């Protein structure tokens, strides 16, 4: 017997253009009560723009927004909040200089009085405990001191806090992109329980397994329009990829291990985590892809940053024998130059090879950027436009192109594919394998098991130290989680 649900929102014929770029072209979209709708598509398909319209942060050029069967004439973020619609954007919106409790106050301006900090602390802590048990976050922590994974947890939990208005519909735009497999599993489990209790979700994700696991219905977008929609049970990965415009069936191919044994190749990186507890050192040889795994915030990013720093100045416990390039995971804080163009952001690591005499050749710079735009599939017709004109996933592609296009033999990757679409992921996996075959060395921190399967060996971190080392054949989700909770001996 079919379950009858009341429709919460309906977007009718939504259109939106940014200059010459038509982001949305007459899109229809709806969500019912007690329903989880998956929204997928390649980078630049219009997903985030559509969700910003629903969240009230962007006003459409044309179309109707209907909530509870009533057309909204002056729809805004404040009005959406009053109607119980919340959004967790792909680009985190927390104020870094404020505490966790103070960031909660930002979305609850009605909480006043001498004890508002205590009330805000109680609101956010209750939700964090419910969604992410064992999160290790204090309401008095300053956001800028927290890892990106914990900031993502706070952003998610804040969307479910309630004071004056109820929460009815939560939009989650790539909510697991900075979470490890354990924390992502906690969030997906919470979503299933919340849907059973009548809460509604829109889940925007490039992780097709998450879409198929938790969503009741799936909407696929392509070039600013809906290309497919239906019950999630009617789709599998291959059908979703085809609807997005992919070519051929989706299959994760673990690359064959054809490189020389590590003892026959040159050592490029030797690093040891902080003594006195470290017993295993990290080594990376020429042509190796070395994975860093474990729960988020347990020292993987710190090690990559330490290797990056040690490449330019001597540091005890580190031996770096070649120049390095870094693909930052937190692109807003560590990756992009927000006032620069797409071209400038891409070429900054390759300036020494772009010179003609004492000057940088603009022609060479533009040719390099155009080459890697096509090679990685960056959705940008004009590379002179500001980097912020790109979607989050396309910004991440620019950072990836910056590192791979330079002559550094060692590439450090800090969960580099956050928000990048599936087709591009597969292309980048193949590109990494190709460059490793040519001799480049990769240190790859990833929260995705599919990516760790491309590594020659994987180091698992806990509490800032290497707790285990796994060969490629030993890498499974169960084995990594088991090692992630193991105490140092």
């Amino acid at each position: 017997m079919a379950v009858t649900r009341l429709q919460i929102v309906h977007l009718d014929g939504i259109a939106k253009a940014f200059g010459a770029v038509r982001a949305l072209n007459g899109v229809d979209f709806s969500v019912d009560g007690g329903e989880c709708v998956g929204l997928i598509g390649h980078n630049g398909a219009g997903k985030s723009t559509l969700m910003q319209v629903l969240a009230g942060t962007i006003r459409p050029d044309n179309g109707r927004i209907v909530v509870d069967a009533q057309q909204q004439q002056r729809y805004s973020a404040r009005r959406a909040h009053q109607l119980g619609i919340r959004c967790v954007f792909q680009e985190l919106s927390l104020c870094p200089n404020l505490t966790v409790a103070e960031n909660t106050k930002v979305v609850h301006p009605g909480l006043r009085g001498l004890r508002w900090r205590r009330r805000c602390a109680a609101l956010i802590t209750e939700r964090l405990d419910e969604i992410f048990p064992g999160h290790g976050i204090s309401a008095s922590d300053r956001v800028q001191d927290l890892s990106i994974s914990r900031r993502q947890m706070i952003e998610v939990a804040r969307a479910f806090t309630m004071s004056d208005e109820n929460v009815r519909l939560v939009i989650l735009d790539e909510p697991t992109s900075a979470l490890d497999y354990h924390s992502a599993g906690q969030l997906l489990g919470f979503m299933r329980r919340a849907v059973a209790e009548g809460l509604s979700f829109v889940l925007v994700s490039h992780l097709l397994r998450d879409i198929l696991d938790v969503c009741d219905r799936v909407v696929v977008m392509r070039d600013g329009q809906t290309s497919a929609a239906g019950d999630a049970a009617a789709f599998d990965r291959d059908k979703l990829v085809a609807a997005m415009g992919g070519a051929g069936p989706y299959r994760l191919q673990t690359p064959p291990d054809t490189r020389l044994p590590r003892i026959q190749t040159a050592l490029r990186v030797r690093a040891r985590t902080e003594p006195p507890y470290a017993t295993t050192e990290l080594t990376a040889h020429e042509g190796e892809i070395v994975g860093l795994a474990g729960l988020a915030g347990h020292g993987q990013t710190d090690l990559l940053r330490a290797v990056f720093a040690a490449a330019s100045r001597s540091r005890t416990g580190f031996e770096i024998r070649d120049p390095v390039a870094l693909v930052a995971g937190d692109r807003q804080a560590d990756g992009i130059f927000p006032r620069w163009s797409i071209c400038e952001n891409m070429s900054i690591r390759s300036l020494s090879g772009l010179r003609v005499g004492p000057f940088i050749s603009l022609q060479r710079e533009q040719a390099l950027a155009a080459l890697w735009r096509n090679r990685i599939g960056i959705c940008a017709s004009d590379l002179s436009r500001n980097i912020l004109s790109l979607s989050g996933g396309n910004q991440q592609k620019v950072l990836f192109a910056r590192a791979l296009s330079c002559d550094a033999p060692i590439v450090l990757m800090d969960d580099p594919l956050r928000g990048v679409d599936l087709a591009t992921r597969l292309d980048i996996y193949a590109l990494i394998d190709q460059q490793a075959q040519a001799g480049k060395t990769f240190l790859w921190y990833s929260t995705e098991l599919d990516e760790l399967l491309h590594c020659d060996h994987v180091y698992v971190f806990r509490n800032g130290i290497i707790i285990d080392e796994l060969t490629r054949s030993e890498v499974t989700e169960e084995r990594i989680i088991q090692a992630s909770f193991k105490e140092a001996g």
Side-chain angles (χ1 to χ4, degrees):
M1 180 176 175
V3 177
T4 302
R5 300 187 178 102
L6 296 177
Q7 190 176 82
I8 296 179
V9 300
H10 177 67
L11 305 181
D12 180 23
I14 299 297
K16 181 65 182 179
F18 299 96
V21 179
R22 197 164 187 82
L24 299 173
N25 189 15
V27 178
D28 297 337
F29 185 83
S30 64
V31 184
D32 296 341
E35 180 184 41
C36 183
V37 179
L39 182 61
I40 66 171
H42 293 318
N43 293 125
K47 309 181 301 298
S48 292
T49 303
L50 184 66
M51 290 302 97
Q52 289 182 68
V53 170
L54 179 54
T57 57
I58 285 181
R59 182 172 295 179
D61 298 331
N62 291 294
R64 298 188 310 140
I65 301 173
V66 179
V67 181
D68 296 330
Q70 295 184 353
Q71 183 173 347
Q72 304 296 310
Q73 299 297 337
R74 295 187 176 182
Y75 195 67
S76 63
R78 182 176 181 181
R79 179 58 178 159
H81 199 276
Q82 291 172 343
L83 293 168
I85 300 172
R86 308 282 181 86
C87 185
V88 178
F89 295 107
Q90 182 179 354
E91 302 299 335
L92 302 183
S93 61
L94 299 174
C95 300
N97 60 320
L98 300 182
T99 67
V100 176
E102 290 166 346
N103 269 279
T104 305
K105 174 70 162 61
V106 170
V107 297
H108 295 287
L111 291 178
R112 299 184 178 91
L114 296 176
R115 297 185 176 182
W116 68 263
R117 277 189 176 82
R118 183 179 298 179
R119 294 174 64 191
C120 287
L123 280 178
I124 191 66
T125 299
E126 179 184 9
R127 287 307 189 189
L128 283 168
D129 290 344
E130 182 180 9
I131 303 171
F132 303 106
H135 50 81
I137 300 170
S138 170
S140 61
D141 288 339
R142 199 167 297 278
V143 166
Q144 65 189 11
D145 298 330
L146 299 174
S147 66
I148 189 172
S149 61
R150 285 179 169 163
R151 279 181 272 157
Q152 181 117 46
M153 291 181 191
I154 296 164
E155 191 94 51
V156 169
R158 187 175 67 164
F160 294 92
T161 56
M162 290 182 285
S163 54
D164 298 330
E165 303 92 3
N166 289 326
V167 179
R168 304 172 60 207
L169 168 63
V170 179
I171 304 162
L172 298 173
D173 192 351
E174 300 289 349
T176 63
S177 61
L179 301 179
D180 57 58
Y181 12 82
H182 177 68
S183 300
Q186 290 178 324
L187 174 58
L188 297 178
F190 168 79
M191 290 174 61
R192 295 188 193 97
R193 298 191 299 273
V195 167
E197 295 173 0
L199 192 62
S200 299
F201 291 92
V202 179
L203 175 60
V204 184
S205 179
H206 292 302
L207 302 179
L208 300 187
R209 66 174 181 273
D210 291 351
I211 294 290
L212 295 173
D213 283 349
V214 303
C215 295
D216 303 296
R217 190 159 52 87
V218 179
V219 175
V220 185
M221 291 189 66
R222 183 179 179 185
D223 299 328
Q225 297 178 307
T226 301
S227 62
D231 291 340
F235 290 94
D236 58 21
R237 291 191 178 193
D238 291 347
K239 291 180 180 178
L240 291 178
V241 171
M244 287 190 290
Y250 165 71
R251 293 288 185 271
L252 173 66
Q253 299 290 344
T254 302
D257 193 3
T258 58
R259 288 183 280 275
L260 291 171
R262 58 189 314 196
I263 59 174
Q264 297 181 25
T265 57
L267 177 71
R268 280 198 167 141
V269 178
R270 187 190 304 276
R272 184 179 290 275
T273 49
E274 291 298 322
Y277 306 105
T279 58
T280 303
E281 66 177 9
L282 178 149
T283 59
H285 291 245
E286 178 184 328
E288 277 196 312
I289 305 173
V290 178
L292 312 182
L295 301 180
H298 277 248
Q300 303 94 331
T301 297
D302 293 338
L303 182 82
L304 291 178
R305 289 177 175 174
V307 170
F308 186 82
S312 58
R313 61 183 183 272
S314 178
R315 176 169 175 172
T316 303
F318 291 83
E319 182 182 348
I320 317 299
R321 300 189 176 182
D322 291 289
V324 303
L326 172 67
V327 186
D330 188 352
R331 57 180 167 267
Q332 298 302 320
D334 304 323
I336 65 169
F337 294 91
R339 295 181 180 271
W340 291 11
S341 70
I342 300 166
C343 180
E344 291 166 335
N345 268 277
M346 203 182 305
S347 63
I348 182 62
R349 186 60 179 79
S350 302
L351 294 182
S352 61
L354 300 176
R355 290 177 180 165
V356 175
F359 303 106
I360 302 299
S361 168
L362 181 60
Q363 184 177 7
R364 288 186 179 183
E365 183 181 40
Q366 292 173 339
L368 176 74
L371 172 67
W372 282 89
R373 173 190 60 189
N374 298 333
R375 196 168 186 181
I376 293 189
I378 299 169
C379 296
S381 57
D382 184 359
L383 294 172
S384 66
R385 294 180 64 190
N386 184 274
I387 184 72
L388 297 181
S389 66
L390 297 179
S391 67
N394 279 292
Q395 290 178 32
Q396 199 70 20
K397 293 181 191 179
V398 171
L399 300 187
F400 212 96
R402 178 197 298 170
L404 290 185
S405 62
C406 75
D407 58 0
I410 302 170
V411 179
L412 312 177
M413 304 193 299
D414 186 9
D415 212 3
L417 298 179
R418 294 180 54 241
V420 175
D421 61 67
L422 175 63
T424 304
R425 282 172 180 259
L426 297 178
D427 290 341
I428 289 178
Y429 297 160
L431 186 58
I432 291 173
D433 292 330
Q434 176 188 352
Q435 300 233 343
Q437 293 283 354
K440 279 205 175 185
T441 300
F442 293 86
L443 267 63
W444 190 353
Y445 167 48
S446 176
T447 55
E448 292 298 318
L449 178 64
D450 288 358
E451 295 174 1
L452 295 173
L453 292 174
H454 284 259
C455 299
D456 297 293
H457 56 112
V458 174
Y459 294 99
V460 184
F461 284 64
R462 177 169 171 79
N463 294 330
I465 67 171
I466 296 171
I467 202 75
D468 205 353
E469 180 180 2
L470 308 177
T471 63
R472 177 184 293 180
S473 62
E474 294 173 327
V475 174
T476 64
E477 187 169 352
E478 293 77 15
R479 182 72 184 271
I480 291 174
I481 292 176
Q482 181 183 38
S484 298
F485 287 95
K486 184 170 69 174
E487 296 294 339

